[in-house]
Each structure stands twice: as C-alpha cells, then as structure tokens.
Amino acid sequence: MDKVFVKGLRTSALIGVFEWEHEQPQPLVFDLTMGWDQRSAAATDELQYALDYDAVSKAVIALVESRPRQLIETVAEEVAQLIMERFQVTEITVSVSKPQAVAAATTVGVEIHRSKS
Ligand SMILES: Nc1nc2c(c(=O)[nH]1)N=C([C@H](O)[C@@H](O)CO)CN2
C-alpha cells in the first residue's frame, strides 16, 4: 500500500516510571508511517482526499501533551489508535524515541505496527 509518513515529530511529555519524570517534561520523538491510497488525492490534486500529515502531527502533539503516562508503550498504542480512528487509517507503524532516557545511548524507544484486517 502507499504510505504517508511523519519523521522526527518532537513533543514534550510527562513520561516515565519515576516521580520526577511526571514533574519535568522531556522530549518524545515520533516517526509515523501510515498506509494510505494516494490515487484519489493525486487524481484530484485536492487535500480532502489526502491523509493530511499536518493534521496528523497536530493531533499527535495534542494527545501526547494532554496527560502524564508511565510507559512509552502506552503512548505508542494511544497514538496508533487515535490516528486509525480519527483519520480512517487502516495500517500504521508508530516509533517512539525517548532521547534523554539513557545517558549512555543516543536514544531508546519502541516501535509498534497495527492494522485493521
Ligand atoms: N520498555 C520500556 N522501558 C522503560 C521505560 C519505558 O517506558 N518502556 N521507561 C523507563 C523509565 O521511565 C526511564 O525512561 C527513565 O530513564 C525505564 N525503562
């Protein structure tokens, strides 16, 4: 299937298992790859037939910054479910990186893939 992607989407989140992590926001960075048939958008040249990556990005930032969570797995799943429901996406890969989590690593994170069969 065709894809629409968003890479390196920066958010500021209260995220982590430690108490201080719920007081001090830290960056979470998202890579999203979404299945989307591009033919209608290409044939009409109209945004209404495209998966609007700007609207997707704003929705992800609003969701991530809406409340504290412990695990990045939780936020990855919530992002996948939100995009699938709100934007009628049937297939998505969500990668979440937490660059300040492990001092010795450039970044750490999780990646999930969800699809509606
Ligand atoms: N698989 C995960 N491992 C860990 C997480 C997480 O969200 N998923 N979180 C932490 C802590 O919050 C850590 O980031 C603090 O540095 C540890 N392991």
Side-chain angles (χ1 to χ4, degrees):
M1 186 185 265
D2 305 336
K3 311 284 185 197
V4 173
F5 61 83
V6 176
K7 291 188 179 167
L9 181 68
R10 294 176 305 280
T11 67
S12 175
L14 293 170
I15 183 83
V17 299
F18 301 117
E19 227 173 275
W20 67 264
E21 296 188 284
H22 287 205
E23 288 153 16
Q24 175 76 42
Q26 52 183 316
L28 280 188
V29 183
F30 289 80
D31 291 335
L32 313 169
T33 304
M34 298 154 284
W36 190 265
D37 186 336
Q38 320 281 12
R39 286 173 291 188
S40 297
T44 60
D45 197 30
E46 288 194 25
L47 181 60
Q48 63 173 311
Y49 298 109
L51 176 58
D52 182 349
Y53 47 72
D54 184 46
V56 167
S57 300
K58 285 175 176 152
V60 170
I61 292 168
L63 177 73
V64 172
E65 298 185 355
S66 66
R67 68 176 180 89
R69 297 170 188 84
Q70 297 205 79
L71 298 178
I72 57 175
E73 284 84 345
T74 306
V75 78
E77 191 68 46
E78 286 184 23
V79 165
Q81 295 309 320
L82 172 84
I83 293 171
M84 291 177 85
E85 285 162 22
R86 189 175 300 177
F87 297 95
Q88 286 82 52
V89 165
T90 56
E91 188 179 352
I92 184 166
T93 301
V94 177
S95 162
V96 186
S97 302
K98 192 176 178 185
Q100 292 179 358
V102 175
T106 305
T107 195
V108 295
V110 298
E111 180 174 292
I112 64 171
H113 180 81
R114 297 291 177 266
S115 61
K116 275 187 194 161
S117 43

